[in-house]
């Protein structure tokens, strides 16, 4: 359609849709955040890559370029939703982040530029390779966690530790239970034998005390 019925005139008539609005079936409605429109558009279009549309009724001219250090795919309503990760950077109005060139690195999130390496760095490096060699670390063995992306990493790490701890505790209790069963069986046998052979009574009591003293207290 691209028009709406204008009831403000003495005789209602179809009028071309205005910027920032969509017009269909004679009705005009504002474009939602993440969308924009131009004059006479029947529908709102997704905000183009490299820019964002933060408010209702955004026009083609009022779109805002994505800030440096971030990238904006289509249909974005805010500019800081996708920071560039270490090893990459971006300039204003970028739809994707660019890897640091060879012999350059960026160690921070939402970097706007890359730094020259002390000696040499591979393309897309997040660390100065000279520093890596001094401390014997690499990009693969060192993880920088962005505040927006740390939950999965921490959950996995603590889950493995919790599983290991539960396994150790279960093993200790199995050992303790086994020792207790041995003492019960020995005590039962001693009680029976000492009734038959009184001289074994002192030996049984001493051995029983020794076994009890070896059970760890948890």
């Amino acid at each position: 359609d691209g028009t709406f019925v204008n009831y403000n005139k003495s005789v209602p008539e179809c009028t071309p849709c205005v910027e920032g609005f969509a017009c269909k079936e004679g009705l005009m409605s504002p474009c939602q955040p993440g969308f924009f429109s131009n004059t006479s558009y029947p529908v709102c279009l997704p905000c183009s890559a490299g820019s964002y549309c933060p408010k209702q009724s955004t026009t083609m001219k009022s779109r805002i370029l994505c800030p440096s250090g971030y990238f904006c795919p289509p249909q974005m309503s805010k500019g800081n939703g996708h920071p560039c990760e270490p090893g990459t950077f971006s300039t204003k109005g970028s739809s994707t982040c660019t890897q640091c060139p060879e012999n350059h690195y960026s160690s921070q999130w939402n970097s706007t530029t890359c730094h020259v390496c002390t000696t040499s760095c591979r393309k897309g490096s997040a660390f100065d390779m000279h520093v890596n060699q001094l401390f014997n670390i690499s990009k693969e063995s060192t993880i920088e966690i962005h505040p927006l992306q740390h939950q999965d990493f921490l959950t996995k790490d603590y889950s493995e530790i919790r599983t290991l701890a539960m396994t150790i505790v279960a093993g200790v209790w199995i050992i303790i239970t086994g020792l207790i069963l041995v003492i019960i069986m020995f005590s039962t046998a001693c009680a029976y034998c000492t009734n038959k052979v009184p001289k074994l009574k002192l030996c049984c009591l001493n051995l029983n005390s020794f076994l009890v003293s070896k059970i760890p207290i948890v």
Side-chain angles (χ1 to χ4, degrees), residues 53-90:
C53 305
K55 301 178 180 179
Q56 284 189 339
S57 308
T58 299
T59 66
M60 182 178 290
K61 294 180 181 179
S62 63
R63 290 174 300 174
I64 304 175
L65 291 177
C66 198
S68 301
Y70 297 84
F71 70 97
C72 295
Q75 198 175 322
M76 287 295 295
S77 61
K78 58 181 180 179
N80 60 352
H82 297 286
C84 293
E85 64 180 15
T88 65
F89 73 101
S90 75

Side-chain angles (χ1 to χ4, degrees), residues 3-139:
T3 61
F4 71 101
V5 179
N6 189 348
Y7 292 99
N8 293 325
K9 295 189 176 183
S10 57
V11 178
E13 62 181 26
C14 289
T15 304
C17 201
V18 299
E19 290 183 306
F21 291 80
C23 294
K24 189 175 182 181
E25 298 179 354
L27 300 176
M28 184 171 65
S29 56
C31 294
Q32 297 302 307
F35 294 83
F36 78 101
S37 76
N38 202 1
T39 305
S40 301
Y41 275 30
V43 295
C44 296
L45 301 179
C47 203
S48 53
S51 63
Y52 65 101
C53 305
K55 301 178 180 179
Q56 284 189 339
S57 308
T58 299
T59 66
M60 182 178 290
K61 294 180 181 179
S62 63
R63 290 174 300 174
I64 304 175
L65 291 177
C66 198
S68 301
Y70 297 84
F71 70 97
C72 295
Q75 198 175 322
M76 287 295 295
S77 61
K78 58 181 180 179
N80 60 352
H82 297 286
C84 293
E85 64 180 15
T88 65
F89 73 101
S90 75
T91 55
K92 191 174 183 179
S94 297
S95 59
T96 60
C97 295
T98 304
Q99 281 190 323
C100 289
E102 188 176 0
N103 297 327
H104 291 74
Y105 74 97
S106 65
S107 58
Q108 303 295 324
W109 286 85
N110 54 277
S111 293
T112 59
T113 185
C114 297
H115 307 286
V116 179
C117 294
T118 305
T119 53
S120 63
C121 294
R122 60 172 175 260
K123 183 178 180 180
S125 180
F127 304 95
D128 188 341
M129 297 306 292
H130 178 65
V131 175
N132 291 352
Q133 293 167 2
L134 288 177
F135 293 96
N136 193 28
I137 62 176
S138 65
K139 182 178 180 180

Side-chain angles (χ1 to χ4, degrees), residues 96-188:
T96 60
C97 295
T98 304
Q99 281 190 323
C100 289
E102 188 176 0
N103 297 327
H104 291 74
Y105 74 97
S106 65
S107 58
Q108 303 295 324
W109 286 85
N110 54 277
S111 293
T112 59
T113 185
C114 297
H115 307 286
V116 179
C117 294
T118 305
T119 53
S120 63
C121 294
R122 60 172 175 260
K123 183 178 180 180
S125 180
F127 304 95
D128 188 341
M129 297 306 292
H130 178 65
V131 175
N132 291 352
Q133 293 167 2
L134 288 177
F135 293 96
N136 193 28
I137 62 176
S138 65
K139 182 178 180 180
E140 290 75 16
S141 63
T142 305
I143 301 174
E144 181 179 349
I145 305 174
H146 190 264
L148 298 178
Q149 302 176 346
H150 75 290
Q151 289 295 336
D152 292 341
F153 174 80
L154 293 179
T155 300
K156 179 180 178 182
D157 191 46
Y158 286 132
S159 177
E160 293 176 353
I161 295 175
R162 184 169 58 252
T163 301
L164 178 60
M166 291 177 65
T167 302
I168 294 175
V169 170
V172 170
W173 276 110
I174 289 174
I175 294 173
I176 293 175
T177 302
L179 289 174
I180 292 174
L181 290 175
V182 169
I183 292 173
I184 292 174
M185 294 174 62
F186 177 79
S187 299
T188 303

